[in-house]
Amino acid sequence: MDQYSASTATRAPEIGQRQKPASGRLVVPDVLRGFAIIAMLIAHAASFVPNAPWAVHFLTANFSDVASPLFALVMGMSAELVRRRGGRVGTTLLQQTLRGLFLIFLGVWMATWGSWVAVILAYLGLLIIVGAPILLARTPVLIAVTVLILVVSQPLLALARTWIWVYSSPLPVRELMTWMFLGPQYRIVNLLPMFLIGALLIRHGLTRDRLLWVLAVAAPLAYLAWGLGQRLGTVVSGDYLDTLKDLGLVFAVYVCVVLAATVRRERAERVWGAIFVPLRACGQVALSLYLLHVGLIGLWNNAYGRPAENFYPGWLVIVPGMILVGWLWWRFVGTGPVEWVMGWLTARPKPLRRSAQ
């Protein structure tokens, strides 16, 4: 642990007392992960209501846009928390690699289910394999790497789009290049800075301080810059302006969650605690919910195709239905079934049945 991390660790009681429930887990990462999976549910369920008003489509698009970078941010937070628990570096990196390979396997398998979902799990699996070793660097180096990747992302993607040879390459090479640079929705080169920023936020501490207010100001400015770019021309996925939009949305969610998690008034703390319950629940079983809802969409799409008219029961099953399932499992069982399998495969087993949440 470097000096910066050590100084952050000395603030752990201040950071954690209000943010840790009885289970000892930090609330903020679970809530952010819960928000991300719910945002993804909303995005994927949008095909059930194709004739919704413009305002609904606009909100749905923003939920869709925030989901993947927010998942990457929380994955970086989780990887940093794992690193800070200590243990042998080689063992930790092996466990993260196994976790990444498991996600890649799930992602490749789920892509054959016939849903209309652009499955992100293979990208997230490769992301943790690439990103976890970078977290061994000291904080100044980690900041420099994050800035460097953000700076080179647009020219690197522009160069990658000229690589005609990729499309005639063997399947493993073609898939790897797609995950790294050429994916139509997701790319490691765009997700990696979010992963590293998540780790940096854990090193800094999830507190109300000057950095939080800087992010609060930066979020709307970044989003407005993207909006202006949309007005003046075409914003290409993965370019600087598209990245600004992702940063604006992610920072906005992060700031709101940290502000809510660190309230000092007892009444406000109770209110936010109640609001956080379904988000924490879905966050802790997010991977299981992801597989479940993609499977249900695949069954529907294979049988009936995308609805041409609004089909509200489908939307209700995928959004509030999955939230309810996530809360019920979390409340009465504990660890999600897919999370339990991942823990077993990576030698970090979790009891399926947990006590107090």
Side-chain angles (χ1 to χ4, degrees), residues 14 38 75 169 207 323:
E14 173 191 346
I38 291 173
M75 183 171 280
S169 299
T207 58
I323 295 172

Side-chain angles (χ1 to χ4, degrees), residues 35-288:
F35 188 96
I37 186 62
I38 291 173
M40 202 156 273
L41 294 175
I42 293 171
H44 296 162
S47 293
F48 283 110
V49 284
N51 301 319
W54 175 87
V56 173
H57 284 299
F58 176 77
L59 289 174
T60 299
N62 280 281
F63 277 116
S64 177
D65 290 338
V66 76
S68 56
L70 189 56
F71 266 126
L73 184 94
V74 180
M75 183 171 280
M77 289 181 167
S78 299
E80 176 62 18
L81 290 171
V82 169
R83 185 195 71 85
R84 291 176 63 175
R85 290 176 192 149
R88 294 184 177 181
V89 171
T91 301
T92 300
L93 292 181
L94 176 61
Q95 289 172 336
Q96 298 289 38
T97 300
L98 291 173
R99 182 176 287 111
L101 291 174
F102 180 60
L103 292 176
I104 291 172
F105 167 77
L106 289 179
V108 172
W109 178 41
M110 292 171 66
T112 67
W113 290 3
S115 73
W116 56 65
V117 174
V119 179
I120 194 175
L121 293 189
Y123 296 85
L124 294 181
L126 184 58
L127 175 64
I128 197 169
I129 293 172
V130 172
I134 302 176
L135 301 188
L136 300 177
R138 295 170 64 87
T139 300
V141 176
L142 196 58
I143 294 172
V145 171
T146 304
V147 173
L148 177 63
I149 297 171
L150 286 170
V151 170
V152 303
S153 59
Q154 180 168 316
L156 184 57
L157 288 176
L159 176 63
R161 294 180 186 119
T162 67
W163 294 344
I164 306 300
W165 58 268
V166 169
Y167 303 100
S168 59
S169 299
L171 182 60
V173 175
R174 189 163 67 247
E175 286 298 309
L176 183 61
M177 290 297 100
T178 298
W179 296 338
M180 288 294 299
F181 307 110
L182 299 173
Q185 293 88 13
Y186 317 118
R187 292 156 297 273
I188 300 301
V189 73
N190 295 124
L191 294 173
L192 185 55
M194 299 296 178
F195 179 94
L196 300 178
I197 289 170
L200 288 168
L201 289 173
I202 290 294
R203 294 189 185 190
H204 177 81
L206 311 177
T207 58
R208 293 191 185 205
D209 59 5
R210 184 178 300 175
L211 176 63
L212 191 69
W213 303 121
V214 169
L215 296 181
V217 173
L221 293 178
Y223 190 86
L224 288 173
W226 164 78
L228 182 61
Q230 285 279 71
R231 286 282 185 176
L232 298 178
T234 302
V235 177
V236 178
S237 178
D239 286 357
Y240 292 140
L241 288 174
D242 187 58
T243 299
L244 279 177
K245 174 196 62 180
D246 292 346
L247 289 169
L249 291 170
V250 167
F251 287 163
V253 175
Y254 173 79
V255 168
C256 291
V257 169
V258 172
L259 287 176
T262 55
V263 292
R264 294 177 174 84
R265 295 181 180 179
E266 185 177 350
R267 183 176 179 181
E269 190 174 0
R270 288 198 303 269
V271 170
W272 281 111
I275 293 173
F276 279 175
V277 166
L279 292 169
R280 285 175 50 214
C282 291
Q284 291 188 33
V285 298
L287 186 54
S288 297

